């Protein structure tokens, strides 16, 4: 039996790149969709918050010196592009998904409406939240924490390219150890960068656990929702 009934999956835009410099790697997104489909078929309700770094990275040169709010709105639109690509890949895999955006773009995606999102989840659809919170200066990490609390998710699953939270940077320190579990207070005292400060504080205040794991590892999402020792659990 799955350990969770409703989860919020935070996917970074970079996770969609595969080995490419920017953009979307089709083989990578299809593999992720296959894993999401497998977990959804187990009866787990899945909502996804997606970043836009993979697309915005390709525009980084042109964004140099740009007003921060303008750059953030461009980043929000990049998340909508990623959400549509993910929805399309799910459609081809036979998975029904809905994109809801914090920015109004009604001809392309639904606006974010909490009761509608929860109804989609109850009907077994995947819900993809795009455009972050709809406000500049807030990251998609914060959007993940906010949407997770709003829809009553049991946990935020932060998908990265690293298989958990380490005592030090594992790329620089071969002796760095992975934490299986760690409390919010411990992570703060040890200055471990789990999520941005706003998102982290919201999860702690709402007693929303966070699981950090590697989306690159095949089968990691299923192992996590089954409650196996995968990634790092950050808890109250």
């Amino acid at each position: 039996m799955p350990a969770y009934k409703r989860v919020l999956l935070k996917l970074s835009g970079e996770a969609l790149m595969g080995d490419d410099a920017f953009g979307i790697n089709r083989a990578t997104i299809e593999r992720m969709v296959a894993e999401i489909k497998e977990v959804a078929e187990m009866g787990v309700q899945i909502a996804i918050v997606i970043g836009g770094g993979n697309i915005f990275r390709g525009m980084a040169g042109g964004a140099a010196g740009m007003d921060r709010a303008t750059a953030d709105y461009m980043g929000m639109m990049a998340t909508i592009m990623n959400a549509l690509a993910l929805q399309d890949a799910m459609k081809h895999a036979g998975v029904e998904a809905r994109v809801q955006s914090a920015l109004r773009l009604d001809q392309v995606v639904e606006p974010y409406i909490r009761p509608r999102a929860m109804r989609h989840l109850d009907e077994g659809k995947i819900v993809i939240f795009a455009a972050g919170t709809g406000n500049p200066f807030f990251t998609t990490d914060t959007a993940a924490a906010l949407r997770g609390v709003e829809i009553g998710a049991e946990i935020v699953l932060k998908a990265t390219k690293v298989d958990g939270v380490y005592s030090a940077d594992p790329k620089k320190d071969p002796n760095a150890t992975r934490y299986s579990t760690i409390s919010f207070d411990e992570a703060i005292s040890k200055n471990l960068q789990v999520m941005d400060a706003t998102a982290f504080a919201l999860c702690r205040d709402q007693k929303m656990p966070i699981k950090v794991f590697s989306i690159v590892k095949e089968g990691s999402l299923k192992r996590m929702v089954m409650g196996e020792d995968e990634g790092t659990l950050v808890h109250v």
Side-chain angles (χ1 to χ4, degrees):
M1 288 288 292
Y4 307 103
K5 294 181 180 178
R6 179 176 289 180
V7 302
L8 189 293
L9 175 62
K10 167 58 170 61
L11 270 179
S12 68
E14 287 79 359
L16 304 180
M17 296 191 309
D19 294 326
D20 298 341
F22 58 86
I24 298 169
N25 182 287
R26 193 68 191 181
T28 298
I29 199 171
E30 287 175 353
R31 180 186 62 76
M32 288 182 188
V33 166
E35 294 203 18
I36 292 168
K37 179 181 181 180
E38 184 179 15
V39 170
E41 288 176 343
M42 293 164 53
V44 180
Q45 296 179 1
I46 305 171
I48 300 171
V49 166
I50 194 161
N54 57 316
I55 293 175
F56 200 68
R57 182 178 295 190
M59 304 184 293
M66 185 178 291
D67 176 78
R68 169 65 189 275
T70 300
D72 281 357
Y73 280 118
M74 289 172 64
M76 289 179 218
M77 288 187 280
T79 71
I80 296 173
M81 294 169 67
N82 278 339
L84 288 170
L86 187 59
Q87 181 189 40
D88 181 75
M90 287 184 175
K91 179 182 177 181
H92 283 86
V95 179
E96 197 168 358
R98 294 289 184 272
V99 177
Q100 289 199 345
S101 170
L103 291 180
R104 297 296 295 261
L105 199 64
D106 296 356
Q107 290 173 299
V108 182
V109 294
E110 295 179 7
Y112 170 64
I113 300 173
R114 177 177 173 269
R116 186 184 293 177
M118 297 181 75
R119 186 172 69 247
H120 287 327
L121 291 170
D122 288 336
E123 292 172 350
K125 301 182 182 75
I126 307 293
V127 180
I128 307 167
F129 296 121
T133 67
N135 301 287
F137 308 105
F138 290 92
T139 69
T140 49
D141 273 358
T142 299
L146 178 63
R147 297 290 183 249
V149 172
E150 286 182 311
I151 66 169
E154 297 166 271
I155 192 168
V156 172
L157 307 176
K158 182 172 181 180
T160 69
K161 291 186 175 182
V162 182
D163 63 343
V165 178
Y166 280 77
S167 57
D169 187 342
K171 294 180 180 178
K172 299 177 181 178
D173 185 354
N175 297 317
T177 56
R178 178 179 68 87
Y179 295 101
S180 178
T181 65
I182 189 169
S183 71
F184 283 98
D185 290 341
E186 281 183 281
I188 292 170
S189 65
K190 294 178 180 178
N191 198 30
L192 301 175
Q193 303 301 313
V194 179
M195 297 179 101
D196 77 67
T198 303
F200 197 75
L202 179 56
C203 286
R204 182 186 61 180
D205 292 347
Q206 297 298 320
K207 298 180 173 55
M208 171 74 74
I210 304 166
K211 197 76 178 276
V212 182
F213 74 107
S214 171
I215 194 66
V216 177
K217 289 175 64 177
E218 191 171 345
S220 58
L221 182 59
K222 180 181 178 180
R223 287 193 294 273
M224 258 196 326
V225 298
M226 293 301 292
E228 298 180 23
D229 181 21
E230 184 75 35
T232 300
L233 177 67
V234 186
H235 57 90
V236 176

